[in-house]
């Protein structure tokens, strides 16, 4: 029987890698919904290629363009964030959640509510709403599978193991664009410089988050939430080659590492075929050619985001929602040239220590998350204005 699949964020970097894998065995899948935002031609092309039921753009002003691009294909077109959220309710067996930012939370949550298997690339979901996501999955018998390379690596290393025997989880970080920069130069880092990653080819936002290590900060929080492990057992290790994605340390001293090429089709494919393994079109590593793996300790002066992640985990509750919202706005500020690279962490720190104080203990409902997300965004916008003005 064909598996019904949807790809939320199909036009992005993760989305396109998912489309690539599905398109290699199109007869195995019945594609329900593809979603995108401004890249209408790509969205329509993939919807036609994969014979999707519906293509949805987040951008309402582009609905006519989408209709035109799909003309004669028989594929439905919709627009707006509510249409994307509703797509999560369409009966599906497997969903790729790969929208960037907090916008990815609701459609993924809806997919879990109908008991679908959700491959979670959208890290903001677990950072903003970890408890809600996990509870929803449990209550509805839905399977949540990690797609981030580090978490997929941990998940694979834990297969058949008892989590209570885990002493530590080490997730690696390349160090991003500014790993070797003198600290005093960081204040002058440009958008173009922050947007180039030494090893991975990813969306622009996550690439900048890799340079600031906000990406790794989110991943520490994700690790705590997804694997239910205490924060003090999670370590970050800088590994410039990005070939070891994660290591799990057990109580007998053994470490199981996940090693693989820097190709997200591995983690995506693992989640697509789980619980089986299937051949994937990724490079096979040649260790003799690679020669060495190197490691260093992360420096919190260079990457203050790592300290902020620890703070978020200590505070608990909705602190992750505040952190993510402030980070998204600060990132927008850097992308649009209103603030400098190092201002981003300062703004998140400031917002975390203002908004968080009053609001993080509210119960973790979707309404409370949306409310705290909004006031955190407003607080971050004010911080940007103060710096810009
Ligand atoms: P991307 O920017 O390449 O793609 C983002 C997708 O989301 C696009 O389809 C875009 O149209 C859509 N989108 C953007 N804003 C939207 C909105 N407001 N509403 C609805 N749709 C919107 O991003 P990406 O690199 O593919 O990352 C996607 C998610 O996966 C992120 O959460 C990222 O952190 C995570 N992730 C990415 C990688 C990677 O290798 N790229 C690895 C691990 C995790
Ligand atoms: Mg990652």
């Amino acid at each position: 029987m064909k598996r019904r699949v949807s790809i939320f964020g199909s036009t992005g970097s993760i989305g396109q890698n998912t489309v690539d894998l599905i398109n290699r065995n199109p007869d195995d899948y019945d594609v329900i919904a593809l979603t995108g935002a401004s890249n209408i031609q790509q969205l329509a092309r993939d919807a036609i290629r994969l014979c999707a039921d519906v293509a949805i753009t987040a951008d309402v002003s582009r609905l006519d363009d989408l209709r035109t691009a799909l003309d004669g294909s028989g594929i439905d077109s919709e627009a707006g964030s509510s249409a994307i959220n509703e797509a999560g309710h369409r009966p599906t067996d497997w969903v790729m959640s790969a929208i960037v930012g907090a916008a990815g939370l609701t459609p993924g949550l809806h997919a879990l509510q109908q008991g679908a298997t959700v491959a979670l690339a959208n890290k903001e979901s677990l950072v903003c709403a970890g408890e809600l996501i996990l509870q929803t999955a449990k209550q509805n018998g839905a399977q949540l599978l990690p797609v981030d390379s580090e978490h997929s690596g941990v998940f694979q290393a834990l297969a058949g193991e008892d989590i209570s025997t885990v002493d530590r989880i080490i997730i690696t970080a390349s160090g991003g664009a500014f790993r070797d920069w003198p600290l005093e130069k960081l204040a002058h880092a440009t958008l173009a410089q922050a947007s180039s990653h030494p090893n991975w080819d990813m969306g622009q936002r996550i690439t900048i988050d890799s340079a600031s290590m906000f990406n790794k900060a989110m991943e520490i929080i994700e690790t705590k939430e997804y694997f239910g492990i205490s924060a003090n057992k999670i370590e970050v290790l800088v590994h410039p080659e990005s070939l070891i994605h994660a290591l799990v340390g057990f109580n007998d001293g053994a470490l199981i590492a996940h090693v693989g090429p820097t190709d997200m089709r591995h983690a995506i494919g693992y989640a697509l075929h789980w619980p089986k393994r299937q051949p994937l079109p990724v490079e096979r590593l040649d260790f003799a050619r690679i020669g060495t793996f190197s490691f260093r300790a992360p420096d919190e002066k260079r990457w203050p985001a790592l300290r902020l992640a620890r703070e978020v985990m200590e505070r608990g509750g909705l602190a992750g929602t505040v952190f993510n919202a402030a980070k998204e706005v600060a990132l927008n500020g850097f992308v649009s040239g209103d603030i400098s690279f190092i201002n981003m962490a300062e703004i998140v720190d400031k917002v975390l220590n203002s908004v968080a104080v009053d609001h993080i203990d509210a119960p973790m409902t979707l309404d409370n998350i949306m409310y705290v997300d909004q006031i955190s965004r407003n607080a971050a916008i004010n911080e940007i204005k103060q710096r810009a003005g």
Side-chain angles (χ1 to χ4, degrees):
M1 217 170 80
K2 287 188 176 193
R3 285 172 86 199
R4 294 165 304 173
V5 302
S6 285
I7 309 173
F8 300 150
S10 68
T11 56
S13 164
I14 292 286
Q16 286 294 291
N17 279 313
T18 311
V19 167
D20 174 74
L21 291 181
I22 300 240
N23 197 38
R24 285 167 190 262
N25 301 96
D27 296 341
D28 293 350
Y29 305 100
D30 181 5
V31 177
I32 308 297
L34 299 184
T35 83
S38 55
N39 200 342
I40 300 295
Q41 296 310 323
Q42 185 70 56
L43 179 61
R45 231 182 351 260
D46 291 335
I48 292 168
R49 194 155 61 127
L50 298 178
C51 301
D53 289 355
V54 63
I56 311 172
T57 167
D59 186 347
V60 191
S61 71
R62 303 294 306 277
L63 180 58
D64 282 346
D65 296 340
L66 182 59
R67 279 208 184 111
T68 307
L70 289 171
D71 198 24
S73 68
I75 296 168
D76 286 340
S77 49
E78 293 183 3
S81 55
S82 55
I84 292 183
N85 292 344
E86 281 306 305
H89 289 307
R90 288 181 182 246
T92 319
D93 301 306
W94 187 89
V95 166
M96 168 51 76
S97 170
I99 289 173
V100 64
L105 171 61
T106 307
L109 199 62
H110 288 168
L112 291 173
Q113 283 167 352
Q114 53 145 311
T117 294
V118 174
L120 192 66
N122 174 272
K123 53 190 73 192
E124 294 82 0
S125 292
L126 280 179
V127 173
C128 295
E131 192 189 309
L132 178 65
I133 290 278
L134 295 172
Q135 248 177 26
T136 306
K138 201 169 165 193
Q139 280 164 1
N140 296 283
Q143 181 70 43
L144 192 65
L145 295 170
V147 170
D148 221 325
S149 56
E150 296 76 2
H151 306 84
S152 175
V154 173
F155 186 75
Q156 294 180 50
L158 281 172
E161 302 288 351
D162 175 354
I163 187 83
S164 70
T165 64
V166 171
D167 268 354
R168 56 184 182 150
I169 291 180
I170 305 171
I171 57 173
T172 61
S174 68
F178 305 138
R179 180 182 64 216
D180 300 316
W181 275 39
L183 282 182
E184 59 279 8
K185 261 185 76 183
L186 288 181
H188 307 290
T190 66
L191 179 60
Q193 287 164 333
S195 302
S196 89
H197 196 284
N199 305 328
W200 292 93
D201 179 14
M202 309 185 283
Q204 187 191 36
R205 297 181 73 85
I206 184 175
T207 301
I208 300 168
D209 282 350
S210 296
S212 62
M213 281 235 200
F214 267 112
N215 179 49
K216 209 50 56 182
M218 310 255 292
E219 291 181 359
I220 302 173
I221 301 168
E222 269 188 289
T223 303
K224 175 175 179 287
E225 296 297 333
Y226 188 87
F227 298 104
I229 192 162
S230 59
N232 61 7
K233 290 185 173 175
I234 306 168
E235 301 169 28
V236 171
L237 181 65
V238 177
H239 167 46
E241 295 82 5
S242 293
L243 295 173
I244 301 178
H245 306 306
L247 302 104
V248 179
F250 295 89
N251 59 9
D252 58 358
L255 278 168
I256 298 186
H258 184 272
V259 188
T262 51
D263 184 336
M264 285 307 292
R265 289 177 305 176
H266 171 73
I268 296 166
Y270 184 80
L272 182 61
H273 301 303
W274 181 89
K276 294 186 183 145
R277 280 189 193 273
Q278 299 265 337
L280 291 172
V282 300
E283 180 199 345
R284 271 46 178 171
L285 294 180
D286 175 350
F287 285 93
R289 191 177 55 77
I290 294 163
T292 41
F293 281 166
S294 58
F295 306 100
R296 11 179 150 152
D299 169 4
E300 291 195 0
K301 270 207 216 80
R302 181 178 300 276
W303 296 297
L306 297 177
R307 173 181 58 75
L308 295 173
R310 302 270 168 208
E311 218 176 281
V312 168
M313 292 187 292
E314 262 165 44
R315 287 171 186 255
L318 295 176
T321 310
V322 177
F323 175 79
N324 180 67
K327 192 277 295 180
E328 285 192 28
V329 171
L331 180 57
N332 294 344
F334 176 64
V335 170
S336 57
D338 293 332
I339 55 168
S340 76
F341 183 77
I342 59 170
N343 283 158
M344 287 192 287
E346 293 165 9
I347 287 170
V348 175
D349 195 353
K350 202 75 189 286
V351 175
L352 201 54
N353 284 293
S354 56
V355 177
V357 176
D358 296 329
H359 295 282
I360 61 167
D361 294 329
M364 192 179 275
T365 61
L366 194 54
D367 282 348
N368 286 342
I369 290 168
M370 294 301 173
Y371 174 71
V372 170
D373 176 90
Q374 194 54 56
I375 56 173
S376 308
R377 280 173 200 270
N378 295 345
I381 288 168
N382 281 337
E383 288 295 330
I384 291 180
K385 276 191 191 142
Q386 278 176 26
R387 280 169 176 78

